[in-house]
């Protein structure tokens, strides 16, 4: 039996079709075209030094610290050096276009949606039994048991159990409206009375409320969100016509 298999471009396309991935692929292609066309229209250009830095950033993002790492990565993904440069070019063009279109809109958007960027440090245990949840809540209030103890007793997921039910820093948009209202009205550190959702009875401890600040990372996040939403609107307004050929072309290769 042969120890290799030959896969043609027709095979690849046929597999993508059968995997129902064509819509996603077409959306990505349309997005690239929109970025390139809009950047050209807006007169955005890329300098050689900028492209070199973008290529370096791409290598770092993929942990390609040595030349052999880069060559192995290119081989794995069936890419040439020209392809690598094109990826870096597209990444940089996207960044520059996002900055061009939305950098001056970030501050106004932040202050208009500041409440949405408020975050909270949360611990949580979810129970199926509402009466038990209420009983545990009152025990917590009286200091008869600690939150870490109920987490160890009632959380099934090992990692969450070891972390004492720690959910991390969560933004208001991460929660259902009724839960967000209770969390962000809390006076930390505070344990909330059980909140009932389809998932069960939530016993939550709000350790800290974090007020948002318009720092550099927040600016980048908002600008990225605005740019992503804009791209989605552009793509959804298009009628994408794909010329994929007939399946008989694949059959003729068998």
């Amino acid at each position: 039996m042969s120890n290799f298999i030959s896969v043609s471009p027709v095979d690849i396309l046929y597999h993508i079709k059968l995997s129902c991935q064509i819509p996603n692929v077409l959306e990505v292609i349309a997005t690239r075209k929109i970025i390139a066309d809009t950047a050209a229209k807006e007169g955005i250009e890329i300098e050689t030094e900028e492209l070199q830095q973008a290529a370096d950033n791409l290598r770092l993002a993929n942990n390609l610290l040595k030349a052999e790492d880069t060559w192995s990565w290119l081989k794995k993904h069936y890419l040439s050096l020209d392809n690598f440069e094109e990826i870096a070019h597209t990444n940089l063009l996207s960044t520059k276009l996002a900055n061009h279109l939305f950098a001056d809109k970030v501050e106004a958007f932040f202050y208009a949606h500041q409440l949405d960027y408020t975050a909270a440090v949360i611990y949580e245990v979810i129970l199926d039994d509402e009466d038990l949840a209420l009983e545990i809540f009152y025990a917590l209030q009286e200091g008869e048991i600690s939150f870490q103890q109920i987490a160890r007793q009632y959380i099934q997921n090992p990692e969450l159990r070891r972390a004492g039910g720690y959910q991390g820093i969560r933004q208001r948009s991460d929660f259902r409206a009724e839960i967000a209202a209770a969390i962000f009205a809390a006076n930390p550190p505070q344990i909330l009375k059980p909140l009932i959702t389809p998932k069960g009875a939530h016993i939550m401890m709000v350790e800290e409320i974090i007020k948002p600040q318009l720092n550099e990372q927040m600016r980048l996040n908002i600008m990225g969100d605005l740019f992503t939403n804009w791209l989605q609107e552009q793509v959804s307004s298009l009628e994408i016509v794909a010329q994929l050929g007939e399946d008989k072309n694949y059959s003729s290769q068998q």
Side-chain angles (χ1 to χ4, degrees):
M1 180 178 177
S2 174
N3 61 357
F4 73 92
I5 184 172
S6 176
V7 179
S8 73
V10 175
D11 294 328
I12 295 170
L13 177 57
Y14 192 69
H15 171 75
I16 292 173
K17 290 177 70 175
L18 293 188
S19 301
C20 302
Q21 296 179 41
I22 289 293
N24 292 334
V25 172
L26 294 179
E27 184 173 324
V28 171
I29 293 171
T31 298
R32 287 171 58 89
K33 288 181 177 292
I34 289 168
I35 291 171
D37 292 347
T38 307
K41 180 181 177 181
E42 296 294 327
I44 296 174
E45 298 180 350
I46 291 178
E47 304 295 335
T48 302
E49 295 79 8
E50 293 178 312
L51 183 57
Q52 181 59 56
Q53 183 60 56
D56 291 342
N57 292 340
L58 181 58
R59 277 188 282 270
L60 286 174
N62 289 281
N63 200 32
L64 307 178
L65 305 181
K66 297 180 291 185
E68 52 265 35
D69 296 332
T70 301
W71 285 114
S72 296
W73 187 84
L74 291 174
K75 182 178 180 180
K76 175 183 176 180
H77 295 284
Y78 295 87
L79 297 170
S80 66
L81 277 176
D82 287 342
N83 295 146
F84 185 87
E85 183 174 308
E86 186 177 356
I87 294 171
H89 185 278
T90 299
N91 291 347
L92 178 57
L93 198 62
S94 297
T95 300
K96 295 190 72 169
L97 181 59
N99 188 74
H100 177 79
L101 294 176
F102 297 108
D104 61 349
K105 297 177 174 61
V106 168
E107 188 168 343
F109 185 89
F110 172 77
Y111 287 111
H113 300 82
Q114 192 169 2
L115 192 62
D116 295 334
Y117 292 101
T118 304
V121 179
I122 300 294
Y123 291 78
E124 180 181 54
V125 174
I126 303 176
L127 301 176
D128 294 330
D129 190 326
E130 296 180 21
D131 292 334
L132 176 60
L134 198 58
E135 181 182 330
I136 290 174
F137 167 73
Y138 288 122
L140 287 166
Q141 293 287 87
E142 295 298 325
E144 298 172 2
I145 192 172
S146 70
F147 201 93
Q148 287 70 28
Q149 286 175 310
I150 67 167
R152 286 196 295 270
Q153 185 172 350
Y154 293 104
I155 294 178
Q156 300 300 317
N157 182 287
E159 292 185 5
L160 281 178
R161 185 171 61 246
R162 295 185 192 109
Y166 179 62
Q167 298 292 311
I169 299 174
R170 308 273 298 279
Q171 290 188 333
R172 178 180 287 267
S173 59
D174 294 332
F175 300 99
R176 295 166 60 96
E178 65 272 22
I179 291 184
I183 288 173
F184 292 98
N187 184 23
Q190 180 179 342
I191 297 174
L192 304 181
K193 191 172 182 178
L195 299 163
I196 310 305
T197 75
K199 291 183 177 180
H202 300 245
I203 303 176
M204 307 182 77
M205 180 171 68
V206 183
E207 185 177 70
E208 182 183 359
I209 299 294
I210 303 173
K211 301 296 183 182
Q213 295 183 348
L214 190 56
N215 52 28
E216 185 59 26
Q217 187 58 54
M218 179 66 75
R219 285 183 180 276
L220 291 174
N221 290 343
I222 292 175
M223 190 161 59
D225 290 342
L226 292 174
F227 185 56
T228 297
N229 292 337
W230 175 80
L231 281 172
Q232 289 174 346
E233 290 174 1
Q234 301 303 306
V235 171
S236 63
S237 68
L238 294 175
E239 180 183 356
I240 304 174
V241 179
Q243 300 179 9
L244 301 178
E246 300 294 334
D247 289 347
K248 64 182 180 180
N249 292 336
Y250 173 80
S251 298
S252 68
Q253 301 291 323
Q254 302 305 300

